[in-house]
Amino acid sequence: MEWTLAGLFVLSAVLLFISIIKTSHAAKVEHNEVNQIHISTMKEINAIQDSIRNIGLDIEVVIKETGIQLSSEEQVFMREVLDLYKRNYSIESIAGMKQVPESQIEQMLAPYQNVAVEGGNAAHAN
């Protein structure tokens, strides 16, 4: 009986030791996976930041080359108006939101509006 209890105690100690080793190994593997995901995410973030920086520099070059003089407030206003227009808001609703005349919004959006080709549509209608 004593040998059986001693054997069971030794067996339980061995199983506990094996369990601790396996748990430790699994934790290390999981930690490495988390590190790899973190590294890849940071690489993606850095790439996006580089792209944003390049876009900003491109815009600055285009503004300097074209000679457009807009204040930062005017740029923000123009960006907001163009964003609303690209999201299919009507010129009337944009003018109402921004509390400016519709003619001003139309003038601002004129270069960005799609010009429909009526002749091409009529020719293919028959």
Side-chain angles (χ1 to χ4, degrees):
M1 182 77 173
E2 295 167 358
W3 288 102
T4 306
L5 285 175
L8 288 175
F9 181 73
V10 170
L11 180 63
S12 67
V14 170
L15 290 175
L16 178 64
F17 182 72
I18 292 172
S19 172
I20 290 172
I21 290 174
K22 285 190 175 191
T23 303
S24 173
H25 178 69
K28 286 180 184 178
V29 169
E30 186 175 320
H31 184 63
N32 287 338
E33 288 175 358
V34 169
N35 282 341
Q36 291 299 323
I37 291 170
H38 181 261
I39 289 170
S40 67
T41 303
M42 291 305 295
K43 285 181 181 178
E44 289 177 18
I45 289 171
N46 286 335
I48 290 171
Q49 286 175 336
D50 288 343
S51 296
I52 291 170
R53 190 175 310 110
N54 289 338
I55 289 171
L57 292 172
D58 290 344
I59 289 171
E60 190 174 328
V61 167
V62 168
I63 288 173
K64 293 288 184 189
E65 289 295 318
T66 58
I68 298 174
Q69 299 295 325
L70 292 176
S71 69
S72 60
E73 294 85 16
E74 291 172 327
Q75 285 178 340
V76 169
F77 182 74
M78 183 65 188
R79 183 183 318 129
E80 290 171 352
V81 168
L82 187 58
D83 178 52
L84 290 170
Y85 179 72
K86 293 289 184 176
R87 290 192 288 156
N88 295 324
Y89 281 81
S90 69
I91 292 175
E92 296 81 21
S93 63
I94 295 171
M97 284 184 218
K98 297 297 176 181
Q99 298 177 348
V100 295
E102 288 181 28
S103 60
Q104 182 181 350
I105 300 295
E106 287 174 355
Q107 183 181 9
M108 290 174 69
L109 293 176
Y112 303 100
Q113 291 177 330
N114 296 331
V115 178
V117 180
E118 296 297 328
N121 291 339
H124 294 294
N126 294 332

